[in-house]
Amino acid sequence: MSNTNPITTHDEVAIIDFLVDNNAMIKDFNRSQFVWFFIEEDFHIVLFLAESTKKHFEKYVVERFAENMNDMIALWNRFDQQIQQGNEIRILKLAKNKVHDLIAMSETFRALFNRNDFEEE
């Protein structure tokens, strides 16, 4: 049932507009951090990576995340690969843990959204 695996955006203007529109703009541009939230049934996570060679934003969206656990697992794996490469280890571990928590709670979210169990692909 996976659509996008997940949607990835690096367009900083669009990401900043998105954060401002959702009252989630980061305040400190001197350290790496992330924000996450749901818009309806979509999971959004935005990373601000300040420890890279060039400070930048990354945004990931998993549409209907409760039924697209394979996309959540792909996102978890993406963060894990970046950690293994030594990139932004602290913040990526935090983001990876958040995705893991949501995967672990997937049954609850599927019940909340009245979704069927997901099937692994």
Side-chain angles (χ1 to χ4, degrees), residues 9-20:
T9 305
H10 296 280
D11 179 346
E12 298 206 354
V13 173
I15 294 170
I16 290 169
D17 286 346
F18 172 79
L19 291 172
V20 169

Side-chain angles (χ1 to χ4, degrees), residues 63-81:
E63 295 177 331
R64 296 181 328 278
F65 78 98
E67 63 187 76
N68 287 318
M69 280 299 117
N70 289 317
D71 288 353
M72 292 294 284
I73 292 165
L75 182 57
W76 186 90
N77 285 329
R78 182 176 296 177
F79 291 156
D80 191 54
Q81 288 170 352

